[in-house]
Amino acid sequence: INCELFTCDAATKKLYEKAKKERIDTVWDRALAMQPQCGFGEMGLCCTNCSMGPCRIVKVSDDGPKAGICGATEDTIASRNFARAVAAGSAAHSDHGRDIALALYHATGKIRVKDEEKLFKIAGEWGIAVEGKDASRIAREVAEKALSEFGKIFGKLLFLKRAPHKRQNLWDELGVAPEAIDREIVEVLHSTHMGSDADYRNIIRQAIRAALSDGWGGSMIGTELSDVLFGTPVPRKVEANLGVLKKECVNIVVHGHEPTLSEAIVMAARDPELLELAKKQGAEGINVVGMCCTGNEIAMRHGIPMAGDFFQQELAIVTGAVEAMIVDVQCIMPSLATVAKCYHTKLITTSPKAKVPGAIHMEFDEQKGLDIAKRIVKEAVMNFKNRKGEVYIPDVKSEGEIGYSLEAIIKILDRVTNSFAHPSGTVKPLVDAIKSGVLRGAVAIVGCNNHKQPHNSCHVTLAKELLRRDILVVTTGCGAHSCIKAGLMSKEARKYCGKGLATVCELLDIPPVLHMGSCVDISRILVLLSEVANYMGVDISDLPVAAAAPEWMSEKAQSIGLYAVASGIYVVLGVSPAVTGSENVTNYLTKDLESVLGGRFEIEKDPVKAAEKIAVHIENKRKRLGI
Ligand code: BF8
Ligand code: SF4
């Protein structure tokens, strides 16, 4: 394959060439071997929900089945498949949230929480009395309440109250306000069981409930309690791309999602005894770097370098310089075990929920976190001397400023607030900039990598197209990795901005693309939008904003997309979800939902056209607001 065509990232190109020379198959090679991909699956027209199947609906000719063996139509099958993917995505994010809540629960009394202010704020929001209690006790009560959100018997999710009143009322009217998180996911699985719900609108309604229980439930719990435990991110500089690996050091790549593991590894790697041991093995030190969302989490809180995105995980091992890749859950390619076998790299799985054949399993338990982390780091250190073959680390890295949590953004806005005698601690300066038209609007660019789109270049092209139109970009997940690698999180990136946005960035001393974290941290964006909408006295759907996932692939991304739409946001997808076999379902998601929820999906593969469509959407919203 000509890698010039599939990626715009220089480190990826160089390491792909090395992989080819060393006969290593990567994600791109397997994608090529998979062609042509199954049309039934691609259109969402294959059903395996019962053992009378698999059934598939034939669309391309008049011949062939137009219903499944049970009579399920294309609408039923496509919407069921869509809803099940959303439920799986919501489950993954929410289970991450639950694990963080459990970590907080078990941590109380043993460690000091890092952000007491946030702890007290959440306690206040959730009606937990704080008088006469120490932080440790409050943390336990907050953790208990968070855990009960997953299975409580009655009542809506507590964080829904953060949404604008209009939005909350709309959710109530439509019957989509989620209750217990686990139950919403279970209900998708139940209602899409063979012979249950056959009405595509009703199936999508339940999928919306499950998705909202992710964004305003599981993900938000994950983000907020991670901040409480490990600290709320503040802006800091980090390096990014595979060039952050160091030839002379023990290199440890931490990959996956949950910060409980990665925080412990970061701490363990600073242990003087292990550092000494590393030196004895002939290394200069221990270099911990982060991959995918774990990369975002530890970069934001510790300034640990961001080694790479989803499509770079195999290539990290191909450098020959990685002593251990330590993984937990989600977005971990099973191929890593095969690639690792060709080098000296130890692939270490740590979660009982995600074992990989061929990997070493060292189960992580946050109650014995540091001890286990030290044992894992020791495995890496002792592996340094086993390097074999050519070690090649491309000299490709960039630098950017990351860690723009909502709290950090508000603090930055306070800089101008104070100088103009505005009330501090609000989003007023941001609203003023939008109202005046200096800033036309804001867009979240999020999501993964997908071989159906050129790697990184869709994220980066879209971001640049928006910046020049004076549209601020916020980003998370692998989208954030793309942007920092392309230099869009540095102050110099102002050169890509229109005059208005460049002025705003200069005044606030920020880059034009703001890193807001990992994928669960899209909940930060929901809260920011709510703050802006509340300040303006409107709903989220009235704001000149949009979201885009130009290279998405995961079920989690499908859940995010749907909760964003259900929160009133226009969401542009670069890869179509598997629903196009049903015109009704496709139209419902891309057109009709707008009149119901104020948000909708748009499918647009081309990032330049996506930017044009987003710009039109933003200008229409501005007109309607009279600004
Ligand atoms: O949750 S962006 S490839 S790493 S799914 Fe995965 Fe997609 Fe990356 Fe994080 Ni999000
Ligand atoms: Fe076929 Fe219906 Fe069974 Fe699906 S649920 S596999 S469409 S018979």
Side-chain angles (χ1 to χ4, degrees), residues 46-56 67-72 77 80 192-195:
C46 174
C47 181
T48 57
N49 286 16
C50 85
S51 76
M52 293 197 287
C55 299
R56 70 257 184 285
I69 292 168
C70 67
I77 292 174
R80 282 199 307 217
T192 56
H193 183 276
M194 188 274 154

Side-chain angles (χ1 to χ4, degrees), residues 211-500:
L212 286 172
S213 80
D214 169 357
W216 298 86
S219 277
M220 208 171 276
I221 289 171
T223 296
E224 294 293 71
L225 299 195
S226 291
D227 285 356
V228 168
L229 259 176
F230 305 120
T232 301
V234 293
R236 63 176 89 230
K237 278 203 175 119
V238 296
E239 288 183 332
N241 215 339
L242 288 164
V244 300
L245 294 169
K246 293 182 181 157
K247 198 169 184 176
E248 321 302 336
C249 287
V250 171
N251 287 300
I252 298 178
V253 180
V254 202
H255 170 25
H257 285 81
E258 295 184 1
T260 31
L261 167 76
S262 46
E263 287 278 329
I265 297 290
V266 170
M267 297 308 140
R270 290 174 185 161
D271 181 77
E273 274 177 32
L274 286 169
L275 284 169
E276 198 47 45
L277 188 63
K279 289 204 174 121
K280 273 196 197 136
Q281 304 306 308
E284 279 179 9
I286 303 174
N287 182 37
V288 178
V289 299
M291 185 141 264
C292 285
C293 279
T294 283
N296 288 311
E297 296 275 359
I298 48 177
M300 280 196 300
R301 296 200 178 90
H302 300 284
I304 300 285
M306 293 165 64
D309 54 31
F310 179 59
F311 269 13
Q312 291 180 294
Q313 54 187 291
E314 296 168 306
L315 299 179
I317 297 177
V318 170
T319 60
V322 174
E323 274 56 58
M325 183 172 275
I326 305 165
V327 303
D328 56 10
V329 289
Q330 303 165 21
C331 307
I332 294 142
M333 291 191 193
S335 65
L336 289 179
T338 319
V339 180
K341 259 199 203 106
C342 304
Y343 300 86
H344 75 304
T345 307
K346 290 195 175 178
L347 176 67
I348 303 176
T349 53
T350 59
S351 166
K353 297 170 202 170
K355 295 188 180 182
V356 178
I360 304 167
H361 189 70
M362 296 178 78
E363 200 145 308
F364 185 70
D365 168 359
E366 53 275 341
Q367 291 194 64
K368 300 180 216 135
L370 194 57
D371 287 343
I372 299 174
K374 280 185 193 169
R375 268 195 278 135
I376 296 174
V377 171
K378 193 174 171 188
E379 282 281 327
V381 168
M382 298 311 289
N383 198 24
F384 182 73
K385 55 184 179 308
N386 297 332
R387 281 189 189 178
K388 55 186 178 192
E390 185 204 358
V391 171
Y392 169 67
I393 300 168
D395 186 20
V396 181
K397 59 183 175 182
S398 57
E399 202 184 56
E401 226 168 77
I402 65 158
Y404 289 90
S405 57
L406 172 64
E407 292 77 357
I409 291 175
I410 299 224
K411 259 206 193 113
I412 287 164
L413 293 174
D414 278 350
R415 288 180 199 155
V416 282
T417 303
N418 294 336
S419 58
F420 294 110
H422 290 145
S424 63
T426 74
V427 289
K428 184 176 190 302
L430 181 61
V431 172
D432 287 348
I434 291 173
K435 278 190 176 167
S436 70
V438 179
L439 206 62
R440 305 309 293 172
V443 171
I445 300 181
V446 302
C448 327
N449 309 133
N450 188 320
H451 68 92
K452 295 177 182 173
Q453 292 284 65
H455 173 237
N456 289 176
S457 73
C458 295
H459 287 131
V460 174
T461 306
L462 176 60
K464 285 183 182 167
E465 285 292 317
L466 294 172
L467 297 184
R468 75 177 176 84
R469 291 175 164 93
D470 288 329
I471 296 168
L472 180 77
V473 172
V474 299
T475 179
T476 62
C478 291
H481 281 273
S482 302
C483 290
I484 191 168
K485 284 189 285 176
L488 299 180
M489 290 179 189
S490 66
K491 305 259 162 70
E492 293 75 61
R494 282 176 206 159
K495 64 177 181 241
Y496 299 114
C497 303
K499 215 169 143 207

Side-chain angles (χ1 to χ4, degrees), residues 58-199:
V58 172
K59 290 284 284 184
V60 285
S61 76
D62 289 341
D63 301 335
K66 301 297 169 219
I69 292 168
C70 67
T73 62
E74 61 192 42
D75 298 345
T76 306
I77 292 174
S79 59
R80 282 199 307 217
N81 289 338
F82 177 80
R84 284 189 163 217
V86 168
S90 177
H93 274 153
S94 299
D95 214 30
H96 167 159
R98 182 194 338 251
D99 279 348
I100 302 293
L102 279 168
L104 181 64
Y105 182 85
H106 292 301
T108 51
K110 291 183 200 135
I111 57 161
R112 261 180 76 90
V113 301
K114 289 263 173 56
D115 189 345
E116 284 191 7
E117 198 182 328
K118 186 164 259 195
L119 175 69
F120 278 76
K121 185 172 165 272
I122 298 169
E125 275 183 62
W126 288 0
I128 295 170
V130 294
E131 296 77 33
K133 296 178 191 163
D134 62 8
S136 170
R137 178 149 165 225
I138 298 164
R140 181 163 278 234
E141 288 181 29
V142 163
E144 263 173 0
K145 194 109 179 170
L147 289 166
S148 75
E149 287 293 270
F150 290 85
K152 65 184 175 188
I153 307 168
F154 301 113
K156 288 177 282 180
L157 291 183
L158 295 167
F159 274 144
L160 295 184
K161 284 193 218 128
R162 290 182 165 187
H165 283 295
K166 275 191 190 166
R167 184 71 11 198
Q168 292 182 48
N169 292 340
L170 180 66
W171 289 335
D172 286 340
E173 272 166 39
L174 297 170
V176 295
E179 296 176 21
I181 299 163
D182 288 351
R183 187 180 136 199
E184 301 303 346
I185 295 161
V186 165
E187 280 201 23
V188 170
L189 295 180
H190 175 190
S191 64
T192 56
H193 183 276
M194 188 274 154
S196 292
D197 204 345
D199 177 342

